[in-house]
Amino acid sequence: MQKYFDQLQIELSELQKEQFFQYYDLLIKWNSVMNLTAITDFNEVCEKHFVDSVSLVKVLDVSKCVSLMDVGTGAGFPGIPLKIVFPQLKVTLLDSLNKRVNFLNEVIVKLKLKNISAFHGRAEDFSRKPEYREKYDVCVSRAVANMSTLSEYCLPFVKVGGYFVPYKSQKGLEEIGEAEKAITLLGSRYQKKVEFHLGEEEYRVLFLINKVKATPKKYPRKAGLPAKEPIR
């Protein structure tokens, strides 16, 4: 386990290693009855899910973050690995499928994680609630959506001065240009990107988007619209 995190210069405690092993076991157990991940080999899960999730450290000093929102978390990536490695984080996991939220809640209980909650819902609805809107230091997402759509889902959660970090593959390099209008309109500024490889082949890019002013109240638009009609 440790060898995978060496590439991020992160030293895991014995408790953290044990939590990752437990997480893997639960992932495989639940994956046999519902679709959580196509990747099931232990080594691949470590690299392509666990380390990939924690690669946020390449673009942001996570130790200084207090609150984190993970939109479209799925099987808990990147939110749960980040919570394991940075236990000081107050984490909110959001997913539109209730079955996945049931899985996340079991992981939270079995791993004895504190200050982390999983919710069933849509980003368009949740970010309109006062208790979630512009309340987070950082919002992350590995969800499969184009950058304009993802920006509209995520930026309303970020407090002014905070950051939105989408995890992307090669396609993200094309999407960032197309998303420039959306990012600006939603009160933010694209700062930089960090490109790297997971192992020898998997290309990844993280974009650091800084919230510089409040998102206009009309965003996000009603559920379904950000995906159907991305801001261009």
Side-chain angles (χ1 to χ4, degrees):
M1 175 71 69
Q2 179 58 54
K3 67 179 181 180
Y4 295 103
F5 284 89
D6 286 343
Q7 60 189 289
L8 299 176
Q9 276 121 34
I10 287 172
E11 188 76 34
L12 296 177
S13 68
E14 289 308 311
L15 171 62
Q16 288 167 331
K17 289 175 193 171
E18 181 56 34
Q19 286 174 321
F20 275 118
F21 284 126
Q22 286 179 299
Y23 189 11
Y24 173 75
D25 287 343
L26 287 166
L27 183 69
I28 298 309
K29 175 184 151 194
W30 279 69
N31 203 55
S32 63
V33 292
M34 60 183 284
N35 182 29
L36 288 170
T37 176
I39 300 166
T40 54
D41 173 77
F42 176 73
N43 295 318
E44 285 197 78
V45 168
C46 285
E47 193 154 71
K48 295 177 182 176
H49 284 324
F50 297 164
V51 172
D52 186 33
S53 293
V54 183
S55 66
L56 180 64
V57 299
K58 288 179 175 286
V59 77
L60 203 60
D61 185 351
V62 186
S63 66
K64 290 182 178 170
C65 297
V66 176
S67 52
L68 179 139
M69 164 65 82
D70 179 5
V71 170
T73 187
F77 308 123
I80 289 178
L82 284 164
K83 176 65 182 176
I84 292 171
V85 175
F86 297 96
Q88 91 284 354
L89 280 175
K90 184 180 180 185
V91 175
T92 305
L93 306 171
L94 183 62
D95 199 82
S96 59
L97 198 63
N98 203 38
K99 285 193 296 185
R100 287 197 289 254
V101 173
N102 292 337
F103 163 73
L104 297 170
N105 281 323
E106 179 161 343
V107 172
I108 289 165
V109 170
K110 290 283 171 67
L111 273 57
K112 297 185 171 66
L113 300 174
K114 306 295 181 197
N115 283 325
I116 179 169
S117 306
F119 294 101
H120 170 232
R122 298 183 70 135
E124 301 100 314
D125 301 323
F126 260 69
S127 66
R128 291 203 164 273
K129 298 180 180 184
E131 62 268 40
Y132 302 110
R133 190 174 182 89
E134 299 189 326
K135 290 292 191 282
Y136 294 88
D137 294 323
V138 60
C139 181
V140 292
S141 185
R142 287 206 321 170
V144 182
N146 72 68
M147 198 91 74
S148 294
T149 300
L150 214 48
S151 295
E152 192 170 352
Y153 288 158
C154 296
L155 281 166
F157 288 110
V158 181
K159 61 173 71 167
V160 175
Y163 296 93
F164 163 44
V165 182
Y167 290 57
K168 286 286 182 178
S169 61
Q170 191 87 32
K171 204 174 173 196
L173 296 173
E174 302 163 27
E175 293 177 8
I176 190 66
E178 296 167 358
E180 207 167 315
K181 183 180 176 184
I183 290 166
T184 304
L185 201 58
L186 295 160
S188 301
R189 183 173 57 222
Y190 164 48
Q191 278 198 340
K192 65 174 181 176
K193 68 178 186 291
V194 174
E195 300 170 80
F196 60 99
H197 284 85
L198 284 173
E200 291 178 10
E201 293 177 13
E202 291 281 322
Y203 171 88
R204 288 286 186 275
V205 57
L206 299 176
F207 295 96
L208 187 67
I209 296 165
N210 183 209
K211 184 79 167 274
V212 293
K213 61 182 180 181
T215 298
K217 286 187 169 59
K218 67 186 256 188
Y219 298 106
R221 292 166 293 164
K222 66 181 183 181
L225 216 50
K228 201 183 293 179
E229 298 174 18
I231 299 165
R232 288 285 191 257

